[in-house]
Amino acid sequence: MNILQKILIEHYEEMIYLLRPRKSIIENVDKMIHCGDPSFGGAMYCCTKCNEWKFTPFRCHSRFCPSCGNKYSIDRTTSMASKVINVQHRHCVFTIAEELRSFFLKDRSLLNLLFSSVRSVVLRMFHKDNKAKNFTPGVICVLHTFGRDLKWNPHIHCLISEGGFSDDGFWRSKNHFNYTLLRDSFQTALLNELQAKLGDSFKKVKSSIYKNHKNGFYVYAKPRKCNPNEVMKYIGRYLGRPVIATSRIDQYNGENVTFHYNRHEDDKYVVETIPAIEFIQRLIQHIPEKHFKMIRYYGLYARNRKLDKSLHRAISKQHHTFLLSQRRWRNSISASFGYDPLQCPCCKNTMVLVEIYYNHHRVPLEELYQKAKEKYLRKRPPNKLCTN
């Protein structure tokens, strides 16, 4: 049991009755706190050489889980990297005014407007360079709803190709991004979409934001460009990270949680101690609705045309096939933790699958081992029995 599971288990009822979480939150929390629990299923393995037995419980596969979320991040990184073309990319962060954050927290369907606004602004910027040729960039957008202090702060991380592909098959590089245009255009596009969605009641808020944010919404560009040779590492670091890693939780005494982070404004190291229920509230508010897409592809990365297939990808098909093979459970464990989960600890022989248990009744592990052995003994020939 990791420290995050411990915190949620000990304050589960308090969370339910005080925070009134959404259905998707309860589903993800339930999955996470039972991650690795043998009573929720698993696989039994046996070594046919030395009769060693091993039970491996199933994981929860929740993005909210620190360990499973890391696996999800690796999978998404591999998927994204296979789409990226072999050109320089610019990493931009589109932020919103603090006055708007509560709107997106109350109505999460509005988060879709962040994606559509960024998409329209970026494509319009490329379209202005040459309207006749219609140069289209490759764009990957990832929604982050959290800041480093875990508070609600929705913003879009965007990976944009430094160039576009025209409808007639001509590539044009683009090294200069007009950030003044991006800031103003993003502000206008988002506020207009919000007013269309929320109605006339939003007009007053819209007017005050224009007054208080005359330079538009802040659009931040990372000073280091994304070299295609490092695309896997870059995407994984900036576009696929979980809300918090257990390594950032320093202490838990049953009532309060202490965690640390580097403040974004000045990179100052900050240690914060808050009540456990407040810590849980900060975490669970970032759990998205079921089937909500946190990563979206636009431009070249959303199209599937024969002409676009002529573009050279940063990762070849052969390399992509290899990366997919590494995503399998056995290879993922070996790569992440440095050991083969199916290698017998006694004789180093590869263990074989005996039986899979799924949603079975809660039973002691000793009883589970005994039943598996008895069943296996009845099925296997005498010369291949695992009898322990």
Side-chain angles (χ1 to χ4, degrees):
M1 180 187 297
N2 61 52
I3 189 170
L4 197 54
Q5 286 176 310
K6 182 178 174 65
I7 294 170
L8 287 165
I9 289 173
E10 293 185 0
H11 296 272
Y12 185 83
E13 291 187 3
E14 190 177 359
M15 176 193 75
I16 296 295
Y17 291 109
L18 291 182
L19 302 182
R20 306 281 184 181
R22 293 172 283 118
K23 183 180 178 180
S24 60
I25 290 178
I26 297 175
E27 287 179 357
N28 277 273
V29 170
D30 286 345
K31 283 182 181 179
M32 196 272 281
I33 62 178
H34 295 300
C35 185
D37 188 339
S39 64
F40 284 82
M44 185 72 75
Y45 296 92
C46 174
C47 178
T48 56
K49 198 171 182 179
C50 69
N51 306 321
E52 183 73 16
W53 286 76
K54 179 181 181 180
F55 179 78
T56 302
F58 290 147
R59 312 306 297 188
C60 67
H61 303 292
S62 169
R63 286 180 288 178
F64 181 60
C65 177
S67 56
C68 296
N70 184 55
K71 173 66 166 55
Y72 172 82
S73 174
I74 294 173
D75 289 346
R76 297 308 305 166
T77 298
T78 305
S79 176
M80 282 189 282
S82 67
K83 297 176 180 290
V84 172
I85 52 182
N86 192 29
V87 298
Q88 290 283 353
H89 285 68
R90 192 77 59 94
H91 180 195
C92 299
V93 184
F94 291 81
T95 66
I96 63 173
E98 188 173 350
E99 302 96 301
L100 291 178
R101 294 177 186 176
S102 59
F103 288 91
F104 295 94
L105 183 61
K106 293 175 183 176
D107 184 358
R108 289 171 185 264
S109 67
L110 297 179
L111 292 171
N112 291 302
L113 304 184
L114 289 176
F115 285 104
S116 58
S117 298
V118 170
R119 172 189 174 276
S120 64
V121 166
V122 173
L123 295 182
R124 189 183 305 123
M125 180 180 68
F126 277 78
H127 184 64
K128 285 173 69 69
D129 290 346
N130 191 317
K131 297 180 181 179
K133 287 283 187 179
N134 190 28
F135 288 98
T136 304
V139 183
I140 300 176
C141 291
V142 180
L143 172 66
H144 280 189
T145 59
F146 52 89
R148 296 181 181 180
D149 57 1
L150 306 181
K151 293 179 180 178
W152 180 257
N153 180 19
H155 55 280
I156 296 286
H157 285 256
C158 192
L159 198 65
I160 309 170
S161 64
E162 291 196 353
F165 198 48
S166 66
D167 291 338
D168 58 357
F170 178 75
W171 178 266
R172 177 174 178 173
S173 297
K174 183 176 179 62
N175 299 321
H176 174 68
F177 281 36
N178 188 334
Y179 290 104
T180 301
L181 173 67
L182 287 177
R183 287 193 295 266
D184 293 338
S185 299
F186 178 57
Q187 182 188 55
T188 301
L190 181 59
L191 291 178
N192 287 343
E193 291 201 31
L194 283 171
Q195 183 175 340
K197 182 79 173 180
L198 299 176
D200 293 339
S201 60
F202 185 72
K203 282 185 176 181
K204 188 176 181 180
V205 177
K206 180 180 178 181
S207 176
S208 66
I209 288 177
Y210 273 126
K211 181 179 179 181
N212 297 331
H213 301 272
K214 295 181 180 180
N215 295 323
F217 293 157
Y218 184 55
V219 177
Y220 176 69
K222 293 289 181 182
R224 185 175 68 83
K225 299 177 182 179
C226 184
N227 189 296
N229 296 325
E230 301 177 344
V231 70
M232 282 287 289
K233 180 180 178 181
Y234 191 86
I235 291 176
R237 180 180 178 185
Y238 288 103
L239 303 186
R241 63 184 182 183
V243 177
I244 189 171
T246 53
S247 59
R248 285 180 52 200
I249 304 176
D250 301 317
Q251 187 179 9
Y252 168 62
N253 61 8
E255 296 182 359
N256 298 309
V257 179
T258 301
F259 66 100
H260 68 269
Y261 58 91
N262 290 88
R263 193 162 56 195
H264 178 73
E265 294 79 7
D266 52 10
D267 205 38
K268 181 181 178 182
Y269 184 84
V270 178
V271 178
E272 191 170 349
T273 300
I274 57 177
I277 192 64
E278 181 181 341
F279 177 76
I280 292 173
Q281 184 178 27
R282 288 196 194 182
L283 282 182
I284 63 176
Q285 66 182 343
H286 304 296
I287 296 177
E289 293 297 325
K290 195 171 184 178
H291 305 307
F292 182 84
K293 296 186 182 298
M294 303 288 285
I295 304 171
R296 305 189 188 185
Y297 304 91
Y298 301 113
L300 293 177
Y301 298 146
R303 303 192 310 195
N304 188 22
R305 306 186 313 171
K306 289 184 179 180
L307 187 63
D308 296 339
K309 293 180 181 179
S310 62
L311 292 167
H312 182 58
R313 304 289 166 174
I315 294 179
S316 65
K317 288 185 178 180
Q318 294 79 7
H319 190 198
H320 184 225
T321 302
F322 170 76
L323 291 173
L324 288 176
S325 70
Q326 297 303 302
R327 287 165 56 183
R328 298 190 182 101
W329 171 72
R330 184 179 183 181
N331 292 330
S332 295
I333 295 297
S334 298
S336 301
F337 302 103
Y339 74 94
D340 186 349
L342 295 187
Q343 187 180 73
C344 177
C346 299
C347 67
K348 308 303 180 185
N349 185 43
T350 299
M351 306 181 83
V352 297
L353 177 65
V354 177
E355 192 168 5
I356 291 178
Y357 302 89
Y358 184 72
N359 283 343
H360 60 281
H361 296 291
R362 183 182 292 273
V363 293
L365 265 179
E366 295 77 8
E367 185 179 337
L368 203 61
Y369 274 100
Q370 188 60 37
K371 287 183 178 180
K373 291 176 184 178
E374 292 174 357
K375 188 172 182 179
Y376 191 68
L377 286 169
R378 292 195 298 268
K379 288 183 177 181
R380 304 296 289 177
N383 61 333
K384 292 186 178 180
L385 292 182
C386 298
T387 58
N388 194 16

